[in-house]
Amino acid sequence: MSNGGAGRHSSLPGFGLTMGLTLTWLSVIILIPLAGLFLKSFELSLDQFWGILTSRRTLSALKISFGLAFAAAIVNLVMGMIIVWALVRYRFPGRRLFDAIVDILFALPTAVAGVALTSLFAQKGWLGAPLAELGIKVAFTPLGIFVAMIFIGIPFVVRTVQPVLIDLDAEIEEAAASLGANRWHTVSKVILPSLVPALLTGFALAFARAVGEYGSVIFIAGNLPNVSEIAPLLIVIRLSEFRYADATAIAVVMLVASFLIIFAVNRLQRWAQTRIPAHWRLIK
Amino acid sequence: MIEVKNIVKKFGAFAALDHVDLKVANGELVALLGPSGSGKTTLLRIIAGLDWPDAGEVSIDGENALAHGASERHVGFVFQHYALFRHMTVFENVAFGLRVQPRAVRKDEAAIRARVKELLDLVQLDWLSSRYPSQLSGGQRQRIALARALAIEPRILLLDEPFGALDAKVRKELRQWLRSLHHEINVTSIFVTHDQEEALEVANRVVVMDKGRIVQIGTPGDVYDNPATAFVHSFIGESIVLPVEVRDGCVELGGKPLNISADGVTSGASKLFVRRHDMAVGPAGSGAFEGAVRHVRTFGPIQRAEVALSAGEGTTVIEIDAPRDRELQPGDIVSLHPRRYRIFAGQD
Amino acid sequence: MNQPQILITSAREDLRTEPRIIRVVLIAMAVTFLTVFVVLPLVVVFAQAFSKGVFAYFSALSDPEALSAIKLTLMVAAISVGLNLVFGVIAAWAIAKFDFRGKTFLISLIDLPFSVSPVISGLVFVLLFGAQGFWGPWLQANDVHILFAVPGIALATIFVTFPFVARALIPLMQEQGTQEEEAAISLGASGLQTFFRVTLPNIKWGVLYGVLLCNARAMGEFGAVSVVSGHIRGETNTMPLLVEILYNEYQFVAAFAIASLLAMLALITLVAKTILERHLDEGQLPGD
């Protein structure tokens, strides 16, 4: 990290000291452990690495984690948009309470969410029993994983899109209406396009979170190899079998994938900043 | 006494200060005047120790200031947006500099209180001492910022656009107030401004800056009456500017010779600068230019006339200020003669 | 949350809203979804916890294993919040108050733990300190216990909560600029005096906000801690881990009793967060 000459020649003191401590702490806690993971993966030959990843169990686990996370993120995208729209645009009893409790999903420990969802959707649960009568089994099936991933992803879409919709200038809607657009055209051609960057960002964040999710999923998943076993669980299983190489290989793939997603999110945000005029984004 | 020698400061490729020299004597009130980006604020911050030059020397009372950081220079600095501590009362803001002194030299609580009270009296805001900055008007904040800076008994006082964030009326009042305050406390002061009227009205001496260089230093009368460059002439006071051609000491406008001399100006394209009130109006045929009056407005003792000069192919419209001893009418053909003027070689 | 215009003229209302039937359907969908995914899970936790009565609930909580898990959770949270508080403030100072190349890159490095799966956050420490890890043999030879002990749990928790304090402070401190600090320095204050008398009072709500979120995550972390803990009963089980163990042993009342404490933590965090956000909004009003 180059300091670009800032430290010594700045009016405020402490740049060298605080930057040194920051880099040290960052290295000890984050960089060295992560580097260790990649170092460990280099102990594998390319063939071994490939062999681990393409084994049936690993491949299924990765498919389940990525596939269901993607599907859950799509549900979050649609439902998140509806929730944001209702919370921002409409007045209904309990609106502020519902607005506040969205953040519960950020604060609720994942293990608690896991046992609660399982109990809710188990065959004798409050929701599981009526669903069972319809012939739908949620707990201990891939559908349960899907439900848990929707649960943990939804606040990301809501909290990313909500401020953008609040700040959206009322005048652009009025302008569209005064130009003769009907409501559907105004919403689909004027409002939704200006929410696209926020929606995509929320989608990517929800997806990334769901791919790596462990606590809220494992209780409800059933954890049957090749059927309802997620990749993070497979890492844990391989570790408990002392098959560190297998665990490392899966972890590296997941880590690289989530870096790519975060990189895409950053790109999206930069794109949104150049595309959307500043006064839409300023909150104050 | 402040001495700045050969200061260079670059931000990337941009030279904010390009070999600047300046001396300020004890008790002076100096204005650094220039357009935005001319380097005046950077120079002020370097003197205060809030920025550091890439090269050059700064000394305060003969002592190398660059050997010390801002906290050891005993320089009072008044920030453009005041930078009052928002979580402290007015009293605690002013007391701050006294409370952070090393234990060995720190005054006791009673002495601090007395000193703060004295300062608040000086800026006439004693009655605000328990308010918070957010409860004050702009002018009040400005004066508190000044009192806070004076609390540490600074060797010099630096003010960055002291009136920049105030509305026009408050600004006028504070100008006079600052001048009389300076007279009273007599601490060497430098203030930065982009407003020429402010600089001319408040300062003993004006330092005009442009593009990171000092272009002229002089008394307010000096820089107004004898601008050193075309830039100073157009930046300070309003001017009529005409593109002219100088040929062996003779001046031509649009190919037509003017009846004025250009001694000492190199031949070639030049610019003629005249103050509006320095254009004497006479009967046709008596002056340097001929022109037709287009429009006249009168206010108070003067009449402002738009005159279309016929020069060569095109016409140039200028505005002049004439006394009202002879009423001008639209359509009059008049002769204009510059009583005082300056010619600067070059296009800009 | 910002309230858009409260007084809406009827003309504007007509222009900017949908037919009644669509409004009702959308509200119903939103409310149903949030009820199923937020309200019901919370209710079910408390319902299950008290399903055998108040006595069973409190006897589950006063079980030695539960008490030891609560103690361990509090200790690990104190360690990781404390360290991340100190270093978060230091990092925010370096990043927000100075200009240097690579600043955005440094911020993304600080954000990294947000994008790493909790399981991987635990795994990296197993690879460093585990029996087959880089330093495992040396640690074993010298009888130093990191993995399957408190240090390992603390390390994994510090890893996952690393960004919270710094991320709460960086935007706040950037918005506040450096003018007040410069004023303090020019008045003769030292660096530490400037920080404690000028900077800290201005960011105190932000610091609390960061600590609050950091603490909620530290106490509730499951995946990362699960990998490094070793699940030694009465010794290395935090509250979330104990929830898992009790649940898998079909001790539902006990599992949900512990879970109800964690759910309460989330609720308290939420309320405190709302209050703090109000303070932060006020604190961000510029001086003029």
Side-chain angles (χ1 to χ4, degrees), chain B residues 276-298:
Chain B
R276 276 210 290 245
H277 52 80
D278 280 338
M279 269 302 192
V281 182
S286 65
F289 315 92
E290 297 277 297
V293 176
R294 284 199 173 171
H295 185 79
V296 184
R297 278 174 296 156
T298 54

Side-chain angles (χ1 to χ4, degrees), chain C residues 52-100:
Chain C
K52 296 265 160 61
V54 179
F55 181 76
Y57 178 79
F58 284 105
S59 73
L61 288 185
S62 48
D63 183 82
E65 233 179 290
L67 290 177
S68 117
I70 292 170
K71 222 170 84 187
L72 179 63
T73 302
L74 291 176
M75 182 165 80
V76 168
I79 295 170
S80 45
V81 171
L83 285 170
N84 276 333
L85 169 63
V86 172
F87 283 94
V89 171
I90 287 173
W93 176 271
I95 289 170
K97 299 288 180 187
F98 299 90
D99 278 319
F100 53 92

Side-chain angles (χ1 to χ4, degrees), chain A residues 2 6 11 15 19 22 25 29 85 89-90 95 99 103 118-119 151 174 177 183 212 258-259 262, chain C residues 1 3 12 15-16 18 23 37 48 87 91 98-101 112 115 117 159 162 182 247 270 273:
Chain A
S2 155
S11 53
F15 180 75
M19 184 52 84
T22 302
W25 184 239
I29 298 297
W85 193 268
R89 289 303 179 93
Y90 304 147
R95 185 186 63 91
D99 193 345
D103 282 337
T118 311
S119 156
F151 171 87
E174 290 168 344
R183 188 63 193 161
S258 53
F259 289 169
I262 292 310
Chain C
M1 288 308 111
Q3 300 294 317
R12 171 172 281 193
L15 202 60
R16 291 188 64 214
E18 287 73 42
R23 271 185 295 170
F37 280 95
Q48 294 274 13
F87 283 94
F98 299 90
D99 278 319
F100 53 92
R101 264 179 292 145
L112 265 185
S115 52
S117 170
F159 183 103
F162 190 88
E182 285 183 346
Y247 188 85
L270 190 67
K273 179 171 163 280

Side-chain angles (χ1 to χ4, degrees), chain A residues 195-272:
Chain A
L195 299 180
V196 164
L199 281 167
L200 287 179
T201 304
F203 172 84
L205 291 173
F207 177 52
R209 174 69 200 269
V211 166
E213 182 56 22
Y214 178 69
S216 57
V217 174
I218 54 156
F219 293 96
I220 201 172
N223 305 328
L224 215 59
N226 301 325
V227 178
S228 56
E229 183 178 70
I230 54 168
L233 178 64
L234 189 56
I235 293 178
V236 174
I237 290 172
R238 293 304 187 217
L239 270 182
S240 67
E241 295 166 351
F242 297 102
R243 290 167 67 174
Y244 284 15
D246 293 49
T248 306
I250 304 169
V252 164
V253 170
M254 295 187 60
L255 208 53
V256 169
S258 53
F259 289 169
L260 288 178
I261 296 169
I262 292 310
F263 181 73
V265 168
N266 283 340
R267 272 301 159 95
L268 265 173
Q269 245 138 21
R270 214 164 291 168
W271 174 61

Side-chain angles (χ1 to χ4, degrees), chain B residues 22-53:
Chain B
L22 178 66
K23 269 188 195 177
V24 177
N26 283 340
E28 271 196 291
L29 174 56
V30 170
L32 290 182
L33 172 65
S36 58
S38 58
K40 54 196 192 305
T41 295
T42 307
L43 179 56
L44 200 72
R45 289 173 59 87
I46 285 175
I47 296 171
L50 297 172
D51 259 324
W52 295 80

Side-chain angles (χ1 to χ4, degrees), chain A:
Chain A
M1 190 88 17
S2 155
N3 72 24
R8 192 165 50 91
H9 282 172
S10 165
S11 53
L12 300 181
F15 180 75
L17 180 70
T18 54
M19 184 52 84
L21 284 170
T22 302
L23 292 180
T24 309
W25 184 239
L26 181 74
S27 307
V28 169
I29 298 297
I30 308 289
L31 300 182
I32 292 174
L34 282 180
L37 176 69
F38 285 98
L39 216 61
K40 188 84 188 171
S41 74
F42 290 145
E43 288 174 8
L44 295 168
S45 74
L46 211 58
D47 279 347
Q48 284 171 309
F49 191 78
W50 193 245
I52 292 167
L53 288 185
T54 51
S55 79
R56 175 146 177 258
R57 194 164 169 192
T58 314
L59 216 51
S60 313
L62 287 172
K63 265 189 208 158
I64 289 165
S65 275
F66 281 91
L68 286 176
F70 191 82
I74 286 178
V75 172
N76 283 333
L77 187 67
V78 176
M79 280 315 298
M81 185 65 233
I82 290 171
I83 291 169
V84 167
W85 193 268
L87 289 178
V88 172
R89 289 303 179 93
Y90 304 147
R91 297 288 166 273
F92 55 92
R95 185 186 63 91
R96 303 190 65 171
L97 185 70
F98 278 108
D99 193 345
I101 60 174
V102 172
D103 282 337
I104 279 277
L105 305 184
F106 281 133
L108 196 67
T110 54
V112 178
V115 293
L117 287 174
T118 311
S119 156
L120 209 54
F121 285 98
Q123 243 168 337
K124 286 179 187 160
W126 296 348
L127 296 174
L131 284 172
E133 278 184 22
L134 297 171
I136 303 171
K137 210 170 162 259
V138 177
F140 315 123
T141 71
L143 196 56
I145 303 176
F146 181 61
V147 165
M149 284 175 167
I150 292 173
F151 171 87
I152 44 128
I154 194 72
F156 290 94
V157 177
V158 173
R159 290 298 182 238
T160 319
V161 178
Q162 195 175 28
V164 184
L165 184 63
I166 288 174
D167 289 347
L168 204 62
D169 199 340
E171 281 180 14
I172 67 161
E173 276 170 68
E174 290 168 344
S178 77
L179 292 167
N182 64 27
R183 188 63 193 161
W184 171 242
H185 280 142
T186 306
V187 171
S188 64
K189 296 219 154 84
V190 178
I191 299 176
L192 284 182
S194 34
L195 299 180
V196 164
L199 281 167
L200 287 179
T201 304
F203 172 84
L205 291 173
F207 177 52
R209 174 69 200 269
V211 166
E213 182 56 22
Y214 178 69
S216 57
V217 174
I218 54 156
F219 293 96
I220 201 172
N223 305 328
L224 215 59
N226 301 325
V227 178
S228 56
E229 183 178 70
I230 54 168
L233 178 64
L234 189 56
I235 293 178
V236 174
I237 290 172
R238 293 304 187 217
L239 270 182
S240 67
E241 295 166 351
F242 297 102
R243 290 167 67 174
Y244 284 15
D246 293 49
T248 306
I250 304 169
V252 164
V253 170
M254 295 187 60
L255 208 53
V256 169
S258 53
F259 289 169
L260 288 178
I261 296 169
I262 292 310
F263 181 73
V265 168
N266 283 340
R267 272 301 159 95
L268 265 173
Q269 245 138 21
R270 214 164 291 168
W271 174 61
Q273 269 167 21
T274 56
R275 211 183 67 118
I276 295 180
H279 68 270
W280 286 4
R281 279 180 289 113
L282 290 176
I283 293 170
K284 301 220 162 62

Side-chain angles (χ1 to χ4, degrees), chain C residues 122-274:
Chain C
L123 167 70
V124 291
F125 293 103
V126 175
L127 294 181
L128 288 186
F129 305 116
Q132 297 176 32
F134 292 100
W135 299 317
W138 184 89
L139 292 171
Q140 237 164 11
N142 290 280
D143 202 27
V144 181
H145 299 283
I146 292 184
L147 224 53
F148 311 139
V150 176
I153 299 173
L155 270 175
T157 308
I158 293 169
F159 183 103
V160 293
T161 55
F162 190 88
F164 284 100
V165 176
R167 284 306 259 160
L169 292 182
I170 290 169
L172 183 65
M173 285 167 78
Q174 275 175 337
E175 192 183 288
Q176 289 178 346
T178 55
Q179 281 227 325
E180 287 185 40
E181 282 81 6
E182 285 183 346
I185 296 279
S186 81
L187 290 168
S190 69
L192 282 178
Q193 281 174 325
T194 303
F195 175 76
F196 283 108
R197 288 171 185 242
V198 175
T199 310
L200 196 57
N202 280 338
I203 59 170
K204 59 178 182 234
W205 297 118
V207 171
L208 269 178
Y209 189 81
V211 164
L212 184 77
L213 298 187
C214 186
N215 178 63
R217 181 68 195 268
M219 289 191 174
E221 179 52 32
F222 178 70
V225 171
S226 161
V227 172
V228 296
S229 128
H231 305 279
I232 304 167
R233 301 200 81 142
E235 275 182 47
T236 61
N237 281 328
T238 61
M239 288 162 71
L241 296 181
L242 188 60
V243 169
E244 184 196 20
I245 289 175
L246 294 171
Y247 188 85
N248 287 341
E249 290 172 351
Y250 303 106
Q251 300 190 40
F252 291 129
V253 169
F256 279 101
I258 306 283
S260 75
L261 290 185
L262 291 168
M264 229 114 74
L265 167 76
L267 287 170
I268 293 167
T269 301
L270 190 67
V271 172
K273 179 171 163 280
T274 314

